[in-house]
């Protein structure tokens, strides 16, 4: 099993920045891909960004150029640097990991962007 714990959410004004962290523990050697998803009220959960062990990265069009995903494999930690935040970025952000045929999710952290 893999456990994921997010931190770093909060309230920020539009145009501001936040950095989310996701600490992985347990059988982390199984992980091939880590990423972030988000779910806004009344909407489906959507992909924000993912990063594979090989370094390939994918971003949602809505966050390209504003968000940056990174991983510190030595610390088993993943980050999401979010700049130029917009009110439409308001959502619960979930850390995600996939490996060994299994998917793992964190409990989520709230990000609220005020206009």
């Amino acid at each position: 099993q893999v456990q994921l714990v997010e931190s770093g959410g909060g309230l920020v004004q539009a145009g501001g920045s936040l950095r989310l962290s996701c600490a992985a523990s347990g059988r982390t050697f199984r992980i091939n891909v880590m990423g972030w998803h988000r779910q806004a009220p009344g909407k489906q959960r959507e992909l924000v960004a993912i990063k594979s062990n090989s370094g390939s990265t994918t971003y949602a069009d809505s966050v390209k150029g504003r968000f940056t995903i990174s991983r510190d494999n030595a610390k088993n930690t993943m980050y999401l640097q979010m700049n130029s935040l917009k009110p439409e970025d308001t959502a619960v952000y979930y850390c995600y990991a996939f490996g060994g045929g299994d998917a793992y999710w964190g409990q989520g952290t709230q990000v609220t962007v005020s206009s």
Side-chain angles (χ1 to χ4, degrees):
Q1 293 292 332
V2 174
Q3 295 79 43
L4 303 171
V5 178
E6 303 100 333
S7 61
L11 173 64
V12 64
Q13 288 187 332
S17 299
L18 281 175
R19 189 176 82 154
L20 305 183
S21 300
C22 173
S25 60
R27 302 171 71 87
T28 57
F29 61 87
R30 295 167 56 92
I31 296 174
N32 294 323
V33 176
M34 292 188 75
W36 295 92
H37 288 65
R38 67 186 181 187
Q39 187 166 18
K43 295 187 177 181
Q44 290 187 330
R45 190 173 297 190
E46 63 176 0
L47 171 72
V48 176
I50 57 173
K51 191 174 185 71
S52 71
N53 287 357
S54 66
S56 64
T57 304
T58 300
Y59 292 96
D61 288 343
S62 59
V63 307
K64 283 181 181 177
R66 300 188 298 121
F67 290 11
T68 302
I69 186 172
S70 61
R71 291 172 63 178
D72 184 335
N73 292 326
K75 296 181 178 180
N76 290 319
T77 302
M78 175 179 64
Y79 305 96
L80 184 68
Q81 179 65 44
M82 306 185 292
N83 299 328
S84 302
L85 282 161
K86 303 175 181 180
E88 51 263 44
D89 295 318
T90 295
V92 177
Y93 283 70
Y94 295 91
C95 176
Y96 161 85
F98 181 83
D102 294 316
Y104 306 92
W105 294 90
Q107 80 286 354
T109 185
Q110 177 70 46
V111 172
T112 302
V113 184
S114 63
S115 57

